[in-house]
Amino acid sequence: MEKRIESALVSVFHKEGLENIIRKLSELNIRIYSTGGTQKFISDLGVTVTPVEEITSYPSILGGRVKTLHPKIFGGILARRGHDQDEQDMDEYKIPSIDLVIVDLYPFEETVKSGADEASVIEKIDIGGISLIRAAAKNYRDVLVVSHQGQYNRVLEILEDQQGITTLEVRRHFAAEAFDVSSHYDTEIFNWFNRKENIPAFKQNISLGHKLRYGENPHQKAFFFGDFNVWFDQIHGKEISYNNLLDIDAAEGLIAEFSDTVFAVFKHNNACGAAVRDTLFDAWKDALAGDPVSAFGGILATNRTVDAETAAEINKLFFEVIMAPDYTPEALEILKVKKKRIILKRKKTGFPGKLFRTALNGVLVQDRDTKTETPDDLKPVTKRKPDAGEIEDLLFANILVKHSKSNAIVLVKDKQLLGHGIGQTSRIDALKQAIEKAGRFGFDLQGAVMASDAFFPFADSVQVAHEAGIRAVIQPGGSIRDQESIDYCNDHNVAMVFTGIRHFKH
């Protein structure tokens, strides 16, 4: 069902990109109604515009809080064309039809992010605009609603190519986008209020998203909702997959913990290699040495600019993704030899404070684990205290175990991951896996340290670790049998510290 636009209500906060639309409306002899600053903007273009006050017989009142909230405005939008009673009411009350509504909303989110005080934030809660958008979207059979700047080019095309004639399909699609805008806006307002009220309601709305090739497996459909470009610039390679995104997220979480030069290799959301060194080249070599088998097809991440020497060494390995804050031109030339290889440039940003995951027919919500232990958090519980070098290794290992799937054990020496056991159903099995892996890749565990994401239920873990060469242990503590582990360490000159912080990750 086609409709010709004969009148338009235009009232926007953001006026960039609006001029061409206004001029085209005027060219098509479409009557324009407007308010306040938008009205002045249109007048300054030399285009005829009718103030809404001429329809309502009321001025803008309450400091601009009430401008368009009037039956003659909403009647003109909501009236059903061809409906006898509606048309009788319009004639009786002299209500003009409005066929096009171009309205955006006060920048509530931007005001919150700016750190503005509460009074300023409250004033950016749009009332008239959101009401106009909802009204026009509800009556999409007769009205075209334009609810954000991103639609301006499409509207201009309609005006230019279709001479202001719209189809039902187009109006319905714009209406759906309008309700997306309004629901997102209301969700942001609710969540701002709920920071203090703690009403037990889960409301999230991410308007930016795109379809992925598939999910974890080819038979699963998948989408990513979020703004990837806030985090990274993709400067080379194929489309990023669902599994790539999971690994990238995990890698970014770990790398963000470090200020020293670090390189890490990720596979299935776990670091299979990691090292801190004075140079990036050495960090890469020692990270790869941690598990050169698992590194095949992995995700590489660092917090330093990749140089040509390091790139040449990296290029010997097949990998899916590399993430770094920058690359030298020579390094990029080397890394781009593989057409599908994904090269990402990291940006400085921060993770959201909440984590979500589905469970049964609902959603689990928790705070992000932002605790990173420092030397002050370490409580020595054994006669022998760890020396300075061991403390550095313990803290490094503790960061790695925090970002590993539970049950997790990490073995470290000289700030290099030597072996780990991850995702095991028992802590002793995780430890045995870590020891076996370290041995398989030729590492000597004499003098190494061990980190555990949770307490040891029995003393068997510290015993097995000591027999493998471990000299210092970091763990949360909290088992009713802690003393047994402490006693074993004391009897065998092993240093152990408690943190009091568990780092389960499932």
Side-chain angles (χ1 to χ4, degrees), residues 69 74 118 146 192 195 255 262 278 290 295 325 356 376 420 422 435 503:
L69 294 168
F74 282 86
E118 181 165 321
V146 180
W192 180 76
R195 297 168 308 147
I255 294 299
V262 65
D278 291 334
F356 315 128
D376 292 339
H420 64 177
I422 51 176
I435 293 171
H503 287 298

Side-chain angles (χ1 to χ4, degrees), residues 437-464:
K437 178 166 282 193
R440 184 162 20 118
F441 296 117
F443 289 112
D444 180 6
L445 291 177
Q446 294 298 320
V449 307
M450 172 174 69
S452 175
D453 62 341
F455 64 64
F456 297 114
F458 305 101
D460 55 353
S461 291
V462 291
Q463 179 180 349
V464 170

Side-chain angles (χ1 to χ4, degrees), residues 52 55-58 66-79 86 89-90 93-98 132 135:
V52 295
I55 304 174
T56 65
S57 299
Y58 272 90
V66 180
K67 295 189 286 285
T68 56
L69 294 168
H70 193 280
K72 284 193 173 183
I73 299 299
F74 282 86
I77 295 170
L78 286 164
D86 285 8
D89 288 344
M90 292 181 75
Y93 297 107
K94 297 181 175 55
I95 300 173
S97 294
I98 297 174
L132 291 168

Side-chain angles (χ1 to χ4, degrees), residues 235 255 259-263 278-284 301-312 314 322-332 335 343-346 348:
I235 54 182
I255 294 299
S259 57
D260 293 335
T261 300
V262 65
F263 223 120
D278 291 334
T279 69
L280 189 65
F281 183 83
D282 289 339
W284 162 247
T302 183
N303 59 354
R304 293 292 188 270
T305 297
V306 177
D307 56 76
E309 181 187 24
T310 306
I314 291 170
I322 184 168
M323 308 156 45
D326 210 347
Y327 307 82
T328 65
E330 297 79 11
L332 278 178
L335 294 172
I343 303 175
L344 301 178
K345 185 175 178 180
R346 297 174 63 228
K348 291 183 179 180

Side-chain angles (χ1 to χ4, degrees), residues 12 105 188 364 370 381:
V12 298
L105 300 173
E188 291 299 316
L364 291 170
T370 58
V381 293

